[in-house]
Amino acid sequence: MILAAGLGKRMRPITSTIPKPLVEVHGKALIDYGLDALARNGVERVVVNVHYMADLLRAHLRKRRDMEVLVSDETDRLLESGGGIVRALPLIGDDPFYLVNSDTFWIDGYRDNLDLMADLWNPTEADLLLLIAEMRQATGYEGRGDFTMDREGRLRRVAERNLSPFIYAGAAILKPDLFRDLAEETFSLNRVFDTTIETERLFGVRLDGLWLTVGTPKAVKEADAAFLASATRMQHA
């Protein structure tokens, strides 16, 4: 599933005419980075939730020929990340699934990160596995970090007023059962993060490469510059 229903308020004025997932970085719409990453890893069916300027996003998604794209419609009300998954459950099915944000993505290093996550996914120990970037790997991020990580990869929240180098990088593998008993209402995925922390079943995988979050027009320019710098390094490698 790709989360694509946000309003993109911080991206204005760009998002006055297009939804945030269609904002381009390095000549490609943000949502296509996630779709392409999923396609490279053999995903054949993707659910995308829509709300703001949904018709434009639907038209863009219809262009995909390498996978089936199902739309979870939230035009009646915005349900945020957690409620959006609850509404989409009938389309998702019963098996663990990838979850990808449409406004954060990464430039892979030596390893494809979604493939790395699949290799390290252990459903006997984890209910939720997050891709985790370190501050030094990030562009466009302004925050104090999200989690601490132990040697086994188990995650906990950063204590208030503390800092951590570990950031949720906008990709996860999770079990649909985490949402089965939750009401279809507006709530953040953070509620589910906290539940799995309490049961000690939230784990992280360190990202290989560079992580980019595109929340503002300034961050678009930073992401473009990061792509150019990465291409230059590859040419001289």
Side-chain angles (χ1 to χ4, degrees), residues 26 107 210 223-237:
H26 202 58
I107 300 172
L210 178 67
D224 276 326
F227 265 98
L228 291 174
S230 176
T232 301
R233 285 195 300 269
M234 292 291 290
Q235 289 174 359
H236 292 89

Side-chain angles (χ1 to χ4, degrees), residues 32-140:
D32 285 330
Y33 285 100
L35 290 167
D36 289 348
L38 292 167
R40 283 196 306 271
N41 284 275
V43 174
E44 298 177 349
R45 182 168 57 92
V46 178
V47 178
V48 179
N49 66 338
V50 300
H51 174 79
Y52 178 64
M53 295 191 181
D55 289 344
L56 290 179
L57 196 48
R58 286 176 183 271
H60 182 83
L61 294 171
R62 282 196 291 268
K63 299 175 185 177
R64 300 293 303 202
R65 294 292 180 266
D66 53 349
M67 57 176 57
E68 180 184 11
V69 180
L70 305 177
V71 172
S72 180
D73 194 320
E74 294 180 29
T75 51
D76 60 331
R77 58 174 175 149
L78 186 60
L79 294 168
E80 295 190 16
S81 52
I85 294 173
V86 173
R87 176 169 291 191
L89 282 179
L91 301 175
I92 291 171
D94 298 324
D95 296 325
F97 63 99
Y98 283 118
L99 180 72
V100 179
N101 290 351
S102 62
D103 61 348
T104 60
F105 59 105
W106 55 90
I107 300 172
D108 287 315
Y110 291 104
R111 186 71 188 271
D112 183 298
N113 283 285
L114 292 187
D115 182 55
L116 175 62
M117 292 177 70
D119 273 356
L120 296 178
W121 167 248
N122 182 356
T124 62
E125 292 186 355
D127 291 329
L128 216 169
L129 180 69
L130 305 183
L131 184 63
I132 297 293
E134 296 185 44
M135 293 280 192
R136 60 182 177 81
Q137 299 171 289
T139 70

Side-chain angles (χ1 to χ4, degrees), residues 135 138-146 164 166-168 211-213 219 222:
M135 293 280 192
T139 70
Y141 178 78
E142 298 176 0
R144 62 184 184 88
D146 297 317
S164 169
F166 299 120
I167 314 160
Y168 173 46
W211 181 66
L212 306 100
T213 181
E222 292 174 348

